[in-house]
Amino acid sequence: MSQVTDTVLMIEPVHFHYNAQTAANNFYQKESRGLDPEDQQIQALAAFQDLVELLQRTGVRPFVVRDTKFPETPDSIFPNNWVSFHEDGRVVFYPMFAPNRRLERRRDILGLLEADGFEITELIDYSEREEMGCFLEGTGSMVLDRSNRIAYGLCSARTDKNLFEAFCADFNYRPIAFHAVHRFNGKPKEIYHTNVMMTVADSYAIVALDAVVDKGERQEVTQALQYSGKEIIAITSGQVAAFAGNALQLKNSAGHPFLLMSTQAYQSLKPVQIKNIARFNPIRHTDISIIEQNGGGGVRCMMAEVFLPRV
């Protein structure tokens, strides 16, 4: 079972801007001073289009769907939180923490994928758990090692441990649940998503192990990565804040893998880290700083990997 794909769903933004509802527990999110929502949308759209063009040049297929004007969804640029696509044709809809993010879920996109030749066998919808205050935000909440059937889940206000374990039971993953913190203004704060501090590729993993405060949990994460044959590339809390953990390994149409990250993330890496990653695959990067700052998410969040079978 492959860990990487050459097709990703991307949502072209229409109303991107700083979202106060998600800022409640996303401490990486800061509103740009002097930029009104319209300016934020203009700059975010340009950054989005640059990323799409980079993927196309590299040989990846971005399946781009334009957001709708109504309802207004400022974070629709991050589809990996509300949907995931799996090798057996199953699709999952997820319960979202912020009420205005719940409006991003779109069944019509499934029809567009089917019209393009993808096979969908079943829709599993966990979104009703929102009524119980129970959240699991897709591959933001979970980092999946699809080849080894291991799922890493950082428990937080947006990642309910019980629902995480239920997903793992439904999809035959071994759950590795843990807690992690980052210091903001000198105070420890819960990291909101697993994919902010962790990337799992085919042969390596980029992870901020020092953020895992419990020694037993840290050892469990380390052993799971080592057991699955991943070389661990450790990153610091400063690099996490630069979204170095929010990367995604993809492959081009010829099957050759590469790592995609933001320019800010790339520039935060030390030469030895770049060298270690380059031993496995090249790195590609693009500037999405307007999205990172106002949206609090990086390149990885902008893509929902499509692993669906073809009809």
Side-chain angles (χ1 to χ4, degrees):
M1 198 167 295
S2 178
Q3 177 64 14
V4 293
T5 182
D6 61 4
T7 305
V8 290
L9 169 68
M10 300 180 69
I11 306 297
E12 182 180 303
V14 173
H15 289 294
F16 176 85
H17 59 79
Y18 175 84
N19 186 355
Q21 291 186 22
T22 56
N25 51 29
N26 182 345
F27 303 103
Y28 303 97
Q29 191 179 340
K30 299 178 180 64
E31 188 170 16
S32 295
R33 294 182 178 179
L35 281 183
D36 60 26
E38 184 177 349
D39 292 329
Q40 293 176 37
Q41 160 62 21
I42 291 170
Q43 293 189 22
L45 179 59
F48 175 90
Q49 292 170 337
D50 287 345
L51 176 55
V52 169
E53 291 173 6
L54 171 61
L55 290 171
Q56 291 171 333
R57 290 197 310 270
T58 310
V60 171
R61 184 190 178 202
F63 190 92
V64 178
V65 178
R66 193 168 188 263
D67 191 15
T68 55
K69 290 187 176 181
F70 302 101
E72 185 173 325
T73 50
D75 279 331
S76 63
I77 202 169
F78 303 132
N80 80 309
N81 297 140
W82 64 264
V83 66
S84 64
F85 305 100
H86 300 267
E87 307 88 342
D88 59 2
R90 286 187 288 177
V91 176
V92 185
F93 280 3
Y94 294 95
M96 307 285 283
F97 171 80
N100 63 3
R101 292 216 63 191
R102 299 168 193 174
L103 304 172
E104 296 173 25
R105 291 188 294 260
R106 290 174 54 183
R107 288 177 179 259
D108 66 302
I109 290 176
L110 306 188
L112 295 175
L113 287 164
E114 287 180 314
D116 197 67
F118 289 101
E119 181 181 5
I120 295 176
T121 58
E122 184 182 5
L123 171 62
I124 296 178
D125 192 348
Y126 297 127
S127 63
E128 63 182 15
R129 304 291 187 94
E130 290 165 350
E131 299 174 5
M132 299 177 283
C134 180
F135 310 112
L136 184 70
E137 297 193 335
T139 52
S141 288
M142 304 177 292
V143 172
L144 303 180
D145 182 345
R146 295 174 185 260
S147 298
N148 294 289
R149 312 309 292 178
I150 300 173
Y152 299 89
L154 192 171
C155 301
S156 71
R158 301 197 193 185
T159 304
D160 180 83
K161 183 180 179 182
N162 291 332
L163 185 51
F164 167 59
E165 291 175 345
F167 167 89
C168 290
D170 288 342
F171 283 83
N172 191 31
Y173 280 88
R174 173 191 168 195
I176 305 293
F178 59 96
H179 299 77
V181 299
H182 195 176
R183 299 190 75 85
F184 290 90
N185 299 321
K187 297 180 180 180
K189 297 288 187 179
E190 181 181 79
I191 296 178
Y192 78 106
H193 271 166
T194 314
N195 75 359
V196 172
M197 56 157 293
M198 186 178 200
T199 297
V200 172
D202 54 1
S203 301
Y204 63 95
I206 300 169
V207 58
L209 286 173
D210 288 348
V212 184
V213 290
D214 183 86
K215 290 182 179 180
E217 291 182 346
R218 189 187 313 152
Q219 184 178 22
E220 185 178 17
V221 171
T222 302
Q223 289 178 342
L225 290 169
Q226 292 173 338
Y227 167 79
S228 56
K230 309 298 184 187
E231 180 170 321
I232 296 174
I233 299 172
I235 56 175
T236 66
S237 60
Q239 291 172 324
V240 170
F243 295 96
N246 195 246
L248 182 64
Q249 188 183 42
L250 296 167
K251 63 182 179 182
N252 61 22
S253 55
H256 301 307
F258 66 96
L259 185 70
L260 184 66
M261 58 174 42
S262 73
T263 297
Q264 178 187 205
Y266 180 79
Q267 292 175 343
S268 77
L269 296 177
K270 298 177 181 179
V272 66
Q273 293 170 315
I274 294 174
K275 182 179 179 181
N276 286 337
I277 295 170
R279 287 193 296 108
F280 298 101
N281 53 217
I283 303 173
R284 302 286 182 263
H285 62 89
T286 187
D287 182 8
I288 60 159
S289 54
I290 184 68
I291 297 166
E292 290 171 321
Q293 180 170 341
N294 291 274
V299 160
R300 194 273 170 269
C301 301
M302 296 171 65
M303 298 171 288
E305 302 144 282
V306 179
F307 284 92
L308 297 172
R310 286 281 185 175
V311 176

